[in-house]
Amino acid sequence: MKKLDDMPELKRNSSDEPIVWREVFSILWDGRKTLVGGTALIMILGVSSTMYFSKYRSDGFLQFGGPIPLIVKTDVDNKSKEPANGISLADYKRYAAAYTTGSRFNDFVVQNKLQGDPALSELRKAFFSRDGIGKIIEPVYPFTKIDAKELMEPPKDSDNNVIGLRINFEARNPADAQAMVAFLGRYAMDSIVYLIYSDALRFKHAEITTRITRLDNQIIDLKDKLESYQRKGGALKQIVSHYPDAINQGNRQVVTITEENSRYLSPVTHLMSTELEALSANELIIKFQREKKQNLLMREYYDKAKVLIDNNKSGEAVLRALEEIKEGVFKSKDLNDELVKEVYNQITIDNQSAMNVYLEKSRFIAGPSLPEHPSTRLSTALMMSFLGGVLLSGLLVLARQWVTTKSKKPAK
């Protein structure tokens, strides 16, 4: 068994006490040049790498400017509860599932011709990483779990919509970090608008086409009834002409009209009733023809809007192009015609409301911030480098002493 005396630099006392730390400090003192030099070198490397690889973090809060998707009010007298601002959780999950994919990101970059932007390289890596951008773009709710505990009544699902997005990004340059947060906010909102209109325009186009077909059938049915009323009216006029004295006879007092007792009414009464029914049918035909004409105008507009959404990948571009499509459709139409003007105004109101909610009110109300300091503080890096340098250099000195001692031992 080796004796402790064989290792003079790590002697134990006679009572088998732990290593005498004084000897360890003596060894470290003897290697102080190596210790100081190694610590200084590691500190220089640590601080340099921190400064070179340091990143700046920018944050921003994007607020949704109203109920999304936009609620189109069809009844101005409707006094029902106003829909809550923001996006319902079910809709948000559907939108997030789309805008967090790399393919959607690539479509947006290509649409805006940003393929050559070097600042997007780090962002592209985040999209295609394992974690994705779930930690970069986070939903914000009006009520948290802590808020719910303090409230007397828990919020309803509609009152806890996603009201905005908290976005953060780290880059080596402060300006790049700020620009990328702004870019992500624009990208997320653009994707949401694209998904809304991708669904809405296709649905509206199919709905209007179905409505036109239904109006055609209603007009055909009413015209058939009108012909029936006209034939019936002609027959009643002949009956009245055959019995002129019946006009001066007192009418029977029939209180309830049924198939059984309506025959007791005078031919003149029947004639008046038939003419009123014919008048009502004719008015409905005019009304349905008016609606059909308006729906044909709407379908012409939505035909071109559907082509636009099929050939476009940007929600903002689609929304802004709808005004051009509207002007193109109504360029050859007579806007002095109230029927045409009503459709024109309705499309204008819908587009302006969408622009207001999606592109103007939905905006950053905090940030994107321009970071002044890197995410990792220089003082922290300096302290960690110092501690790491002392530890590594000390181990190096002790290891070198141990090797030297081992090499000086005579072979047995």
Side-chain angles (χ1 to χ4, degrees):
M1 184 176 179
K2 294 182 179 180
K3 296 181 180 179
L4 291 176
D5 294 338
D6 295 337
M7 299 178 65
E9 75 281 5
L10 296 175
K11 291 182 180 179
R12 294 179 180 271
N13 59 16
S14 58
S15 60
D16 199 24
E17 293 178 353
I19 296 174
V20 180
W21 290 103
R22 186 170 53 189
E23 297 294 333
V24 174
F25 291 136
S26 177
I27 296 171
L28 294 175
W29 177 254
D30 291 338
R32 60 185 178 276
K33 292 183 178 180
T34 303
L35 186 64
V36 172
T39 301
L41 179 62
I42 292 176
M43 288 178 66
I44 292 172
L45 291 175
V47 172
S48 300
S49 61
T50 300
M51 294 179 65
Y52 182 77
F53 294 106
S54 62
K55 291 186 176 182
Y56 295 83
R57 177 188 174 102
S58 175
D59 297 277
F61 174 65
L62 177 72
Q63 170 190 264
F64 295 138
I68 297 176
L70 181 65
I71 305 298
V72 179
K73 296 182 179 179
T74 57
D75 185 4
V76 294
D77 295 329
N78 187 9
K79 297 182 180 180
S80 60
K81 181 181 178 182
E82 290 290 330
N85 285 352
I87 305 175
S88 68
L89 185 57
D91 283 338
Y92 175 75
K93 286 186 175 181
R94 185 164 62 91
Y95 300 149
Y99 74 65
T100 55
T101 60
S103 59
R104 170 62 193 158
F105 175 75
N106 283 337
D107 288 341
F108 181 77
V109 170
V110 172
Q111 177 75 33
N112 291 275
K113 300 178 181 179
L114 299 173
Q115 299 94 315
D117 192 340
L120 295 178
S121 59
E122 290 295 323
L123 189 56
R124 183 176 284 102
K125 291 178 183 178
F127 271 92
F128 289 94
S129 66
R130 189 170 184 177
D131 296 333
I133 61 168
K135 294 182 179 179
I136 297 177
I137 302 178
E138 298 177 317
V140 178
Y141 301 93
F143 301 101
T144 63
K145 292 182 179 179
I146 297 176
D147 296 328
K149 291 180 180 179
E150 295 178 354
L151 295 173
M152 296 294 293
E153 183 178 345
K156 299 178 181 178
D157 292 339
S158 61
D159 295 333
N160 203 26
N161 290 346
V162 178
I163 59 173
L165 300 174
R166 183 176 289 110
I167 305 173
N168 68 86
F169 191 76
E170 290 185 347
R172 294 186 180 181
N173 185 284
D176 287 344
Q178 184 185 43
M180 287 301 99
V181 170
F183 176 85
L184 283 171
R186 177 189 170 197
Y187 163 74
M189 201 63 226
D190 186 277
S191 299
I192 291 172
V193 173
Y194 178 78
L195 291 171
I196 289 171
Y197 275 89
S198 180
D199 294 339
L201 292 179
R202 291 183 174 90
F203 172 78
K204 199 72 175 176
H205 180 270
E207 182 188 37
I208 290 174
T209 301
T210 304
R211 190 182 302 164
I212 291 172
T213 305
R214 187 181 298 114
L215 287 170
D216 274 336
N217 289 338
Q218 290 174 329
I219 291 171
I220 291 171
D221 183 59
L222 285 170
K223 284 182 176 180
D224 184 61
K225 288 182 178 180
L226 183 61
E227 291 179 0
S228 175
Y229 295 146
Q230 288 172 347
R231 290 193 301 270
K232 185 177 179 181
L236 287 170
K237 287 180 181 179
Q238 291 180 359
I239 293 173
V240 171
S241 64
H242 291 160
Y243 302 97
D245 295 336
I247 299 175
N248 299 322
Q249 293 179 358
N251 295 328
R252 294 180 179 271
Q253 298 298 318
V254 179
V255 178
T256 303
I257 304 298
T258 66
E259 293 181 358
E260 296 296 329
N261 61 18
S262 62
R263 64 178 179 270
Y264 295 110
L265 295 174
S266 67
V268 175
T269 305
H270 276 289
L271 179 59
M272 293 176 59
S273 175
T274 302
E275 289 183 348
L276 287 173
E277 288 175 342
L279 179 63
S280 177
N282 194 55
E283 287 297 321
L284 283 175
I285 290 172
I286 295 173
K287 176 185 176 183
F288 289 157
Q289 286 176 338
R290 183 177 186 277
E291 290 182 11
K292 180 182 175 182
K293 185 177 179 181
Q294 287 186 324
N295 278 276
L296 286 172
L297 286 172
M298 294 287 285
R299 188 174 67 178
E300 184 179 351
Y301 168 76
Y302 280 105
D303 279 340
K304 295 185 178 181
K306 185 175 179 295
V307 174
L308 173 67
I309 199 71
D310 289 338
N311 298 321
N312 210 305
K313 296 297 182 181
S314 170
E316 182 178 350
V318 168
L319 187 53
R320 294 188 184 280
L322 289 177
E323 277 296 298
E324 297 179 8
I325 290 176
K326 181 199 70 176
E327 296 298 333
V329 169
F330 288 90
K331 184 177 181 180
S332 58
K333 305 295 188 297
D334 182 13
L335 292 179
N336 292 323
D337 185 347
E338 292 184 356
L339 185 148
V340 177
K341 187 68 174 178
E342 184 180 357
V343 178
Y344 179 87
N345 290 341
Q346 184 58 52
I347 295 174
T348 302
I349 291 171
D350 291 345
N351 291 344
Q352 289 176 347
S353 299
M355 293 279 286
N356 184 41
V357 171
Y358 297 143
L359 302 183
E360 295 179 13
K361 287 186 177 180
S362 295
R363 59 186 177 82
F364 280 99
I365 61 171
S369 60
L370 181 64
E372 297 181 359
H373 305 286
S375 302
T376 304
R377 293 182 177 274
L378 193 60
S379 58
T380 304
L382 188 64
M383 180 60 68
M384 296 299 294
S385 300
F386 173 75
L387 295 176
V390 171
L391 179 61
L392 292 175
S393 299
L395 291 175
L396 178 62
V397 171
L398 293 174
R400 185 178 61 184
Q401 180 64 30
W402 181 79
V403 171
T404 302
T405 302
K406 291 288 288 183
S407 63
K408 288 182 179 180
K409 278 187 180 181
K412 294 185 179 179

